[in-house]
């Protein structure tokens, strides 16, 4: 019996390869996209994390300042403790070096280390001197402490091959550095030199970025830290927390991208359902005969599930191969950055995981089994004797089905309010899935309600009557055929609304945070290590054509060792016309409580979610980042919340006057130049460039107009969401593929019907018109249902998924022109697909099919 059933299934798959191929292709594309996204993200994250681990080494503890730099006098105190075996100082400084070919400057990081101790906690940073040339003095080992000697990792040596020296930007203590050897650290370009030489070179004498500690055998970290009595502005971290921060930095983006990639697989499940449901309906007499011959209901159910599993297994295997190829191609051409900007410059090798491949293979098979479950249940419930006589089994009760659909929608609404799990909106994703399943389950009810209203208006037109009445009487079949289109269109509509809402909110946000016409910023990389000279800033304010200069300082602050750093922004907070405090606030600012020690700050929405910094509360963690007697007893009051789309993991805005009063630090990173009316922007640029040349700062600053910043920001935004456009196209393509398969199966099964219409006098063109009208009716219904479901899903994406994933809110925007064009394209494509499918069934074979019954 098992051999007979296997032969039955294989013959079905073999004799209808095109229709079954559509289901295989759907599963293949879904698995391929999801697996490719996983491989790219996993490879980029592993490469980035390994580079960070190699550079940071494996100390027992890292000491860092919560804000700013460490005082290097702390090194002597820490190294003298008996519980500390090694204390390795590190100074980090980002640089932008001129490319040898005169092209784009090379972003590199300069690390100052102590060569006598760095091999213990960070062996990859141990300098290795090049061999001395023949006849040389052989004193290269003393280059470890030379003020002009630098050691390059593999990436830096590749960029500066065949060079003996590196020209440095203006403003540093030396014009060039001599290449003395190499270090074995992987990752982006890295320069290593003696820490004292690095301090002098970068004019940061007395400062350190971190101190790596290797504890003495038997020493406990908590006891050592308690004995050291570190200042409040010093934070101790475990080395593995660096990798955790890298992972947390991009986790929300990676998870959302993976879920979007699974959209195609979700749509593929509906296509498997559509194909198998029509196949089961066509083969009902065969299943009935097998039932009469003794095949039980459970055996019939397992037979259909075996067919769906076979389709899923074949599609998944092809998808794993295709996904691997896509990931390898993307990593080679685009690097590890899929548009989110989390791994810029990382070009990792492909890291293929058998376990991940098995998981995605099983996901594809599971999607196919889910798609085949309902057709299998219908086959199991069939009464063989009735089906053999052509009466078949009664259709499932509509009331029960509609109750189930309503229950799923209600459950989806309840889950949308659930909180995230570990920062991931898992309940919201389940809510989206239930909305789609519940909406598609209610399709027959919607089809009947709509066609019942249309039917009286077309009663006098023969061809529309034939098309509409068939769809009306066979609403279950119509729902099956259009389920893939509904699912794919709904998700495409939801993504379109979400991206449009986000882009519109970002555009408005840029208008609010970029009030000036021209911006000058310090060049050289991220962090808070490159600044504009105070006397240069004062001179810029006196340049002809400049009405006002607003200064900005961006400083990373480590509030939590396991989370990425928060950005502290200091800027003038005088109220701007029509804009409270010059910030895009959410709500109105609160008055500061009485007391000289209360400092108002304004937090981003991420700070509310991650640190509980609600308006009207205090922010004690921020107080620990400020050292010095002038900051003693100061408390920071959360006076308001603002939207910040540039910093996902939190930012705090403080008045510049308060920051200077608490720290005595007057350095700034950026200048916002408000120009006098009628002033030529280019002329102001040239005057400032000439001024910068006088201060030796021409290589340490960058210009950008407000238009350039807006264009660059929106271009980065569009690149970040470029992947979603391809995912939408694939999902829509799979849905239309399902319509083609459904209509092809139906028109072949309706040859007798078309033959009868031909005998009644309908021409071939009229029969094709009937098929096309049916396609129009079905895809129009699918488009309307997909649009409605997509708008419902977009509410969850905009108001739940984005706030829970990225910790920012946005206003809902409905781009009706784009949505209607998307629906119209689906309707036109579906109608054309139905007309092409009808070509094969409207000819002489249909007439012969009628004669076979005579």
């Amino acid at each position: 019996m098992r051999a007979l059933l296997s032969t039955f299934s294989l013959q079905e798959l073999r004799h209808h390869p095109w229709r079954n191929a559509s289901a295989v292709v759907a599963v293949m594309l879904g698995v391929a996209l999801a697996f490719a996204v996983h491989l790219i993200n996993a490879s980029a994250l592993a490469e980035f994390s390994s580079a960070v681990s190699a550079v940071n080494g494996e100390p027992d503890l890292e000491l860092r300042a919560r804000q700013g730099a460490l005082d290097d006098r702390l090194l002597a105190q820490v190294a003298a403790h008996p519980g500390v075996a090694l204390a390795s100082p590190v100074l980090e400084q980002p640089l932008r070096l001129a490319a040898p070919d005169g092209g784009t400057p090379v972003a590199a990081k300069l690390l100052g280390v102590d060569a006598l101790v760095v091999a213990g906690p960070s062996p990859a940073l141990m300098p290795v001197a090049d061999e001395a040339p023949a006849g040389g003095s052989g004193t290269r080992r003393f280059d470890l402490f030379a003020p002009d000697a630098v050691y390059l990792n593999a990436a830096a040596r590749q960029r500066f091959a065949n060079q003996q020296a590196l020209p440095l930007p203006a403003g540093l203590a030396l014009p060039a550095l001599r290449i003395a050897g190499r270090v074995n650290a992987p990752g982006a370009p890295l320069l290593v030199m003696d820490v004292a030489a690095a301090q002098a070179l970068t004019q940061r004498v007395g400062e350190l970025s971190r101190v790596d500690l290797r504890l003495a055998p038997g020493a406990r970290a908590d006891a050592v830290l308690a004995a050291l009595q570190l200042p409040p502005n010093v934070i101790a971290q475990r080395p593995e927390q660096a990798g955790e921060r890298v992972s947390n930095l991009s986790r929300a983006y990676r998870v959302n991208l993976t879920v979007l990639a699974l959209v195609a697989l979700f749509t593929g499940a509906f296509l498997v359902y559509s194909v198998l449901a029509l196949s089961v309906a066509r083969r009902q007499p065969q299943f009935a005969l097998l039932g009469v011959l003794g095949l039980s209901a459970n055996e019939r159910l397992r037979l259909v599930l075996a067919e769906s599993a076979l389709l899923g297994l074949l599609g998944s295997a092809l998808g794993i191969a295709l996904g691997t190829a896509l990931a390898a191609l993307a990593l080679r051409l685009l690097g590890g950055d899929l548009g989110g900007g989390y791994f810029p410059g990382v070009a990792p090798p492909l890291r293929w995981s058998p376990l991940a491949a098995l998981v995605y293979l099983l996901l594809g098979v599971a999607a196919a089994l889910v798609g085949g479950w309902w057709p299998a249940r219908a086959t199991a419930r069939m009464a063989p004797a009735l089906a053999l006589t052509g009466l078949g089994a009664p259709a499932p009760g509509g009331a029960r089905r509609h109750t189930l659909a309503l229950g799923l929608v209600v459950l989806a609404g309840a889950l949308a309010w659930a909180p995230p799990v570990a920062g991931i909106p898992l309940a919201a994703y389940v809510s989206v899935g239930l909305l789609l399943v519940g909406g598609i389950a209610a399709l027959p009810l919607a089809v009947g309600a709509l066609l019942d209203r249309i039917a009286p208006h077309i009663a006098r037109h023969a061809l529309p009557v034939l098309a509409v009445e068939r769809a009306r009487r066979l609403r279950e079949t119509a729902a099956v055929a259009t389920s893939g289109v509904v699912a794919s269109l709904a998700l495409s509509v939801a993504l379109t609304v979400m991206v449009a809402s986000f882009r519109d909110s970002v555009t408005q946000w840029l208008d609010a945070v970029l009030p000036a016409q021209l911006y000058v910023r310090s060049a050289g990389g991220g962090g808070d290590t490159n600044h504009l000279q105070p006397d240069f800033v004062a001179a810029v304010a006196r340049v002809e054509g400049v009405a006002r200069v607003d200064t900005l300082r961006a400083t990373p602050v480590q509030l939590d060792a396991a989370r990425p750093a928060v950005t502290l922004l200091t800027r003038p907070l005088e109220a701007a016309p029509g804009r409270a405090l010059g910030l895009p606030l959410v709500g109105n600012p609160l008055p500061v409580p009485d007391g000289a020690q209360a400092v108002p700050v304004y937090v981003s929405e991420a700070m509310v979610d991650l640190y509980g910094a609600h308006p009207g509360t205090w922010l004690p963690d921020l107080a620990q980042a400020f050292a010095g007697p002038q900051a003693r007893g100061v408390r920071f009051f959360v006076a308001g919340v603002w939207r910040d789309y540039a910093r996902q993991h939190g930012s705090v805005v403080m008045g510049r006057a308060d920051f200077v009063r608490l720290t005595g630090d007057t350095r700034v990173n950026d200048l916002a130049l408000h120009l006098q009316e009628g002033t030529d922007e280019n002329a102001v640029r040239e005057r400032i460039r000439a001024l910068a040349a006088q201060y030796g700062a021409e290589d340490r600053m960058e210009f950008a107009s407000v238009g350039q910043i807006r264009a660059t920001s929106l271009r980065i935004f569009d690149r970040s969401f470029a992947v979603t456009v391809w995912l939408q196209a694939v999902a829509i393509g799979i849905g239309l593929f399902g319509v083609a398969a459904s209509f092809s199966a139906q028109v072949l099964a309706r040859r007798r019907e078309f033959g009868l219409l031909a005998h009644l006098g309908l021409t071939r063109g009229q029969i094709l018109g009937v098929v096309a009208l049916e396609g129009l009716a079905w895809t129009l219904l699918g488009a309307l249902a997909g649009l409605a479901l997509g708008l419902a899903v977009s509410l969850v994406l905009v108001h739940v998924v984005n706030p829970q994933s990225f910790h920012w809110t946005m206003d809902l925007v409905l781009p009706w022109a784009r949505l209607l064009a998307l629906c119209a394209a689906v309707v036109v494509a579906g109608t054309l697909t139905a007309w092409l499918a009808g070509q094969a069934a409207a000819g002489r074979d249909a007439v012969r099919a009628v004669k076979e019954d005579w």
Side-chain angles (χ1 to χ4, degrees), residues 36-49 246 250 253-254 257 326-351 719-720 723:
V37 167
H38 167 80
L39 287 179
I40 294 170
N41 282 326
S43 299
L45 181 62
E47 181 75 6
F48 196 79
S49 298
V246 171
S250 64
Y253 183 78
R254 289 183 284 113
L257 200 57
L326 289 175
L329 182 65
L331 289 174
R332 187 159 60 93
L333 297 180
L334 306 175
D337 191 359
L338 275 179
Y342 297 103
F343 307 112
V346 176
L350 179 67
R351 303 202 180 193
R719 185 187 64 188
S720 300
V723 177

Side-chain angles (χ1 to χ4, degrees), residues 358-700:
L358 178 62
V359 169
Y360 281 91
L361 181 76
L362 294 177
L363 274 177
V365 174
L369 287 173
V370 169
W373 173 254
W374 282 273
R377 288 286 297 166
T379 305
R381 289 195 301 262
M382 178 184 63
L386 291 176
L388 198 58
T389 61
L391 297 177
R400 187 175 66 179
R401 177 170 181 168
H402 300 149
T403 301
L404 174 63
L406 181 61
L408 290 175
V409 172
V410 172
L411 180 59
L415 287 175
W417 292 93
V421 179
I424 303 298
L426 296 179
Y429 292 137
V430 176
S431 172
V432 169
L434 292 179
L435 270 177
L436 292 172
V437 174
I440 292 172
L443 270 180
L445 178 64
V447 168
L450 186 59
L451 293 183
D452 287 345
R453 295 181 178 274
I454 294 176
H457 300 286
I458 59 170
R460 297 185 179 182
H461 303 280
L463 296 184
V465 165
L466 288 174
V468 171
E469 283 300 321
R470 188 176 189 280
R472 183 182 173 196
R473 304 299 177 186
L474 300 177
R475 60 189 67 177
E476 295 284 343
T477 304
V480 168
T482 58
S483 59
V485 167
V486 172
S488 59
L489 182 60
L491 289 165
S492 296
V493 166
L495 291 175
T496 300
V497 171
M498 187 268 290
V499 173
S501 300
F502 198 2
R503 200 178 196 279
D504 183 77
S505 297
V506 168
T507 302
Q508 295 183 23
W509 175 76
L510 288 172
D511 292 338
V513 299
L514 298 174
Q517 294 94 333
L518 186 62
Y519 290 83
V520 179
R521 67 179 308 170
S522 58
D528 186 34
T529 55
N530 294 283
H531 306 94
L532 299 173
Q533 303 172 31
D535 50 353
F536 170 71
V537 174
V540 168
R542 297 190 296 269
V543 168
E544 181 184 354
V546 176
R548 188 176 87 247
V549 175
D550 291 336
T551 57
L552 175 66
R553 174 84 175 270
T555 306
V557 177
Q558 198 71 53
L559 298 183
D560 188 332
R563 289 181 175 144
V566 170
T567 301
L568 175 65
L569 301 172
T570 58
R571 51 169 291 177
L573 286 182
E574 294 80 10
R579 220 172 35 251
L581 304 172
L583 294 173
L585 293 177
V586 180
N588 296 320
L590 299 177
V592 182
D594 294 335
Q597 295 295 86
V599 174
V601 295
Y602 301 86
V603 300
S604 67
E605 294 171 306
M607 293 293 297
V608 178
D609 292 341
L610 298 175
Y611 297 93
H614 297 276
T617 62
W618 301 89
L619 199 58
D621 292 338
L622 183 61
Q624 299 179 7
F626 289 86
Q630 61 270 39
R632 192 172 297 123
V634 170
R635 297 195 301 163
F636 295 96
F637 177 75
V638 180
V641 177
W642 69 295
R643 283 183 175 174
D644 185 4
Y645 293 126
R647 303 163 189 89
Q648 176 186 334
H649 296 280
S651 59
V652 180
V653 177
M654 178 190 303
R656 172 166 170 77
D658 291 325
F659 181 81
V660 172
R661 175 173 58 86
L662 295 177
T663 64
D665 191 347
T666 60
R667 296 176 296 177
V668 297
N669 305 116
D670 297 359
L671 302 178
L673 308 182
H674 298 263
L675 306 183
Q676 296 174 356
E677 187 175 355
T679 300
D680 184 6
E681 180 182 306
N682 293 325
V684 173
R685 290 192 189 210
E686 294 305 319
R687 295 184 192 116
I688 295 178
R689 282 197 177 96
L691 184 64
Q694 299 176 18
Y695 287 89
E698 63 272 19
D699 295 332
R700 304 182 66 184

Side-chain angles (χ1 to χ4, degrees), residues 179-203:
I179 299 176
R182 70 183 190 276
V183 293
N184 295 322
L190 190 69
L191 319 177
V192 177
M193 66 187 307
D194 178 67
V195 63
Q199 288 176 325
L201 175 69
T202 59
Q203 302 175 8

Side-chain angles (χ1 to χ4, degrees), residues 213-251:
L213 303 184
R214 180 66 62 84
L215 302 182
R220 290 174 38 241
D222 54 350
V224 172
L225 292 176
L228 286 173
Q229 297 182 348
L230 298 173
N233 69 318
V234 177
I235 186 172
Q237 303 173 347
R238 303 187 313 275
E240 61 269 21
Q241 287 177 320
E244 293 175 9
R245 289 194 298 273
V246 171
S247 178
N248 291 338
L249 189 66
S250 64
R251 183 179 59 180

Side-chain angles (χ1 to χ4, degrees), residues 463 466 753-767 847:
L463 296 184
L466 288 174
E753 175 188 336
F754 294 140
L756 179 60
L757 292 176
H759 279 290
L760 293 176
L762 268 69
T763 65
R764 185 173 185 273
Q766 289 175 321
I767 294 175
V847 179

Side-chain angles (χ1 to χ4, degrees), residues 56 64 90-94 109-112 204 209-210 529:
N56 288 352
R64 291 181 180 267
V90 179
L91 180 69
E92 302 174 356
Q93 175 77 27
K109 180 181 288 187
L110 175 69
L111 286 185
R204 296 176 62 186
S209 299
R210 72 174 194 263
T529 55

